[in-house]
Amino acid sequence: MAQQNSAQHKTPSLEDLARAAQNPIADTISVGLENIAMPNTGPQRQTADVFKIEPVIPFRLNAEWNLVTRTTIPGIAQVRFSHEQGRIGGLGDINQIFALTPSHSGALIWGVGPTFSYPSATDPTLGSGRWSAGPTIVALTMPGPWVLGVLANNIWSFAGPSDRAPVNQMMLQYFVTYNFSDGSYISASPIITANWLAKGHDRWIVPVGVGVGKLFMVDKQPINAEIGVYYNLLKPEQASPWQFRASLALLFPK
């Protein structure tokens, strides 16, 4: 990508590596781990938890184009929604993005492609039970120390059991990050979701908040760590008002 092309003949700085970690379609292999804790969820006001494994693998198609794959594998700890029901935990639906992006970007870095959601949940309450797909778009720019961009997609169900509800969902994540020369940064990257088949406040989750992070080296291995706190301005009635996010990612620059 643009930030990597400029550093092709020198060792990337901590700020260069941090900016690569913040680029969803960077030409850099990474493996991310993220945990989202949501207290006061459900009628019993318990803490729901989602743990994600997120490998990113770019493929060089030719001199002009790359294909970047982003896979999200969620582990979910669901809360009790009744006194009779116990807590449920297991694998959720796996999501995968395939973004076609130019190998040599200018000021605007972009990618487009499909996204797929696979009915991999180990319990019916942890996933949709449906095969779903739709378009994804990524666009960002990196003026000076800033990284400004958006990642958005919408999926519709196209196969699966007829007794499971259809899927029509949007995900939009904008990100605004200011980087410092030592690899540390301040970031806002809320994930806005909309279930278009729901009504009223059950349709939207709209968080606002901020996070801090740092790119550091451990025995020449770049590691990106970030923590953030987000408040849900809009949410379903039983959803938590808060999201506490913590992530760790290993980068493998070329």
Side-chain angles (χ1 to χ4, degrees), residues 68-145:
V68 180
T69 66
R70 294 180 60 88
T71 305
T72 301
I73 306 168
I76 302 173
Q78 186 61 273
V79 301
R80 296 173 59 185
F81 284 95
S82 69
H83 292 289
E84 295 77 19
Q85 177 197 40
R87 297 198 62 162
I88 298 171
L91 180 67
D93 288 345
I94 294 174
N95 180 270
Q96 199 164 35
I97 292 172
F98 298 86
L100 186 67
T101 179
S103 301
H104 308 286
S105 298
L108 179 65
I109 302 169
W110 60 272
V112 294
T115 183
F116 299 94
S117 178
Y118 310 120
S120 54
T122 54
D123 187 277
T125 63
L126 303 180
S128 69
R130 291 277 197 149
W131 295 85
S132 303
T136 289
I137 184 170
V138 184
L140 66 147
T141 186
M142 299 183 177

Side-chain angles (χ1 to χ4, degrees), residues 34-39 172-177 185-192 205-213 226-235 239-247:
E34 182 179 28
N35 193 82
I36 305 173
M38 295 161 284
L172 185 150
Q173 181 179 23
Y174 68 84
F175 41 98
V176 178
T177 304
Y185 56 89
I186 301 173
S187 179
S189 56
I191 300 174
I192 299 170
I205 297 179
V206 180
V208 294
V210 68
V212 294
E226 183 177 356
I227 57 173
V229 179
Y230 292 86
Y231 177 78
N232 292 324
L233 293 177
L234 294 176
K235 66 178 185 66
S240 169
W242 293 97
Q243 301 177 24
F244 297 93
R245 291 162 44 182
S247 63

Side-chain angles (χ1 to χ4, degrees), residues 7 11 14 18 35-36 51 65 70 126 130 139 141 144 164-165 170 174 182 203 206 216 225 228:
T11 302
L14 290 177
N35 193 82
I36 305 173
F51 179 78
W65 296 97
R70 294 180 60 88
L126 303 180
R130 291 277 197 149
T141 186
R164 298 300 300 268
M170 180 203 73
Y174 68 84
D182 64 352
R203 173 171 290 182
V206 180
F216 57 95

Side-chain angles (χ1 to χ4, degrees), residues 27-48:
D27 188 16
T28 301
I29 296 174
S30 66
V31 178
L33 306 174
E34 182 179 28
N35 193 82
I36 305 173
M38 295 161 284
N40 296 319
T41 299
Q44 311 298 320
R45 314 316 297 171
Q46 296 177 313
T47 298

